[in-house]
Amino acid sequence: MSRPSVHPFDVEVPQLREPDNRAVPERMKDVQGMPGTPAGLALRVFQSGFAAVAVAVMTATNDFPSVTAFRYLVAALSLQCLWSVSLAIVDLYALLVKRCLRNSKILGFFTIGDAITSTLTFAAACASAGITVLIHSDFNDCAQNHCARFETSTAMAFVSWFLVSPSFFLCFWSLASR
Amino acid sequence: MSRPSVHPFDVEVPQLREPDNRAVPERMKDVQGMPGTPAGLALRVFQSGFAAVAVAVMTATNDFPSVTAFRYLVAALSLQCLWSVSLAIVDLYALLVKRCLRNSKILGFFTIGDAITSTLTFAAACASAGITVLIHSDFNDCAQNHCARFETSTAMAFVSWFLVSPSFFLCFWSLASR
């Protein structure tokens, strides 16, 4: 007999392989804050919450449409709110059915979306901050303007941007480290 | 003889190994635009050039210090110019002595520096854009202000930010894909 006899304990465990027969590389562990994790869901909820507050506070002033930057802030933060709410729903679904959102197409889509919305949000927050400081410090004209509301809305926009950044970086990192 | 005879063509090529005996993972190829490449050096030179032009055009107006956002633009773009010039010198040195800048500490330092300077530059550009649009479109007050110069300076700041982004993303990507 040239064929060696197979002992049950000698059976080699087959290595996990991807469809194209490459060995599966070592994957990054599930870092909290990535899509499909509880912290990721929390980030999305807070992002959309702060964006909604920024829009609500800004639209509560009657004279915001006279300044282009404030109109832009309302538009950009509304988009941010919609995007974050959508991804919160996706995260919630992934958590409920215990599905992993570690597909490179999904991650690429989330990364690009986060990059665009966070850039728009940050631009809106900075433009509004520029105008707010101009009215408050340079013109000293808070008597005729709703300085407090403009400042609150700008601050909320910055907080919303600050909460989008970790989502973006974690998506980008896990996309790059695949 | 139980030892098999070694034929010259059967000699196994030893796999490259890192000092701690792990197999060297497949590294990203030298993508043009990364630190230590000719395109990376070109990016740095253009970044610093546009930042310098933005500062020069803004400081050529005599009334820029009356607006906080314009003072901030001068400060942020000066920092950007200094940072880009420093990295251009490092890139030039690396190219001349043919050294690879693919050390993870160096890449981490470049990534953090690029993230900070590009965020400051983008914030300055957005704040200035907000003020410029306010003066030009909302107040229609270009007769008393140097609208053209403010707009040119803001545009140069945006171009400078746009050129920092690829440097940052390539550094971050190669750091994450190590």
Side-chain angles (χ1 to χ4, degrees):
Chain A
M1 288 275 290
S2 66
R3 206 160 60 92
S5 65
V6 174
H7 294 283
F9 297 109
D10 286 349
V11 176
E12 216 180 329
V13 178
Q15 204 189 352
L16 282 172
R17 286 185 177 275
E18 286 194 337
D20 56 349
N21 211 31
R22 282 184 298 116
V24 173
E26 207 179 305
R27 288 276 162 80
M28 200 177 175
K29 297 284 180 301
D30 242 4
V31 174
Q32 285 297 319
M34 280 185 177
T37 58
L41 175 63
L43 273 178
R44 295 296 173 189
V45 169
F46 281 110
Q47 284 161 23
S48 48
F50 279 105
V53 170
V55 171
V57 171
M58 186 56 86
T59 48
T61 63
N62 53 356
D63 53 355
F64 87 91
S66 60
V67 178
T68 308
F70 293 158
R71 288 204 302 273
Y72 171 58
L73 182 123
V74 170
L77 271 285
S78 303
L79 179 71
Q80 178 67 63
C81 188
L82 278 177
W83 170 256
S84 293
V85 164
S86 316
L87 289 212
I89 293 168
V90 172
D91 274 355
L92 192 64
Y93 171 77
L95 280 174
L96 286 179
V97 304
K98 294 199 166 51
R99 261 197 82 172
C100 180
L101 295 174
R102 207 55 54 72
N103 179 305
S104 75
K105 273 181 196 155
I106 293 180
L107 277 179
F109 178 67
F110 287 180
T111 307
I112 292 171
D114 273 340
I116 293 171
T117 55
S118 72
T119 307
L120 293 179
T121 300
F122 187 58
C126 290
S128 297
I131 306 284
T132 310
V133 171
L134 185 82
I135 297 172
H136 196 150
S137 304
D138 301 335
F139 290 173
N140 247 323
D141 196 16
C142 274
Q144 292 178 19
N145 291 286
H146 302 95
C147 277
R149 284 186 185 172
F150 295 154
E151 282 162 13
T152 309
S153 178
T154 305
M156 294 296 123
F158 272 114
V159 172
S160 182
W161 167 74
F162 192 74
L163 291 168
V164 179
S165 308
S167 294
F168 165 69
F169 278 111
L170 284 170
C171 272
F172 191 72
W173 184 277
S174 60
L175 193 70
S177 63
R178 277 179 67 87
Chain B
M1 288 277 287
S2 66
R3 207 159 60 91
S5 65
V6 176
H7 295 282
F9 298 108
D10 287 348
V11 177
E12 217 182 328
V13 178
Q15 205 189 352
L16 282 172
R17 286 184 177 276
E18 285 193 338
D20 55 350
N21 211 32
R22 284 184 296 115
V24 173
E26 208 177 305
R27 288 276 162 80
M28 202 177 173
K29 297 284 179 302
D30 242 4
V31 173
Q32 284 297 318
M34 279 184 178
T37 59
L41 175 62
L43 273 178
R44 296 295 175 191
V45 169
F46 282 109
Q47 284 161 22
S48 48
F50 280 104
V53 171
V55 171
V57 171
M58 186 56 85
T59 48
T61 63
N62 53 357
D63 53 354
F64 86 92
S66 60
V67 178
T68 309
F70 292 158
R71 286 203 303 272
Y72 171 57
L73 182 125
V74 171
L77 270 286
S78 303
L79 179 71
Q80 178 68 62
C81 188
L82 278 177
W83 170 256
S84 293
V85 165
S86 315
L87 289 213
I89 293 168
V90 172
D91 275 355
L92 192 64
Y93 171 77
L95 280 174
L96 287 179
V97 302
K98 294 200 167 50
R99 260 196 81 172
C100 180
L101 294 174
R102 206 56 53 73
N103 179 305
S104 74
K105 273 182 197 155
I106 293 180
L107 276 178
F109 178 67
F110 287 179
T111 307
I112 292 172
D114 273 340
I116 293 171
T117 56
S118 71
T119 307
L120 293 179
T121 300
F122 187 58
C126 290
S128 297
I131 306 282
T132 311
V133 171
L134 185 83
I135 297 171
H136 196 151
S137 305
D138 302 335
F139 289 173
N140 247 323
D141 195 18
C142 274
Q144 292 177 20
N145 292 286
H146 303 94
C147 277
R149 283 186 185 171
F150 294 155
E151 281 161 14
T152 309
S153 179
T154 306
M156 294 297 123
F158 272 114
V159 172
S160 183
W161 167 73
F162 192 74
L163 291 169
V164 179
S165 307
S167 295
F168 165 69
F169 279 111
L170 285 170
C171 271
F172 190 72
W173 184 277
S174 61
L175 194 68
S177 63
R178 278 179 66 88

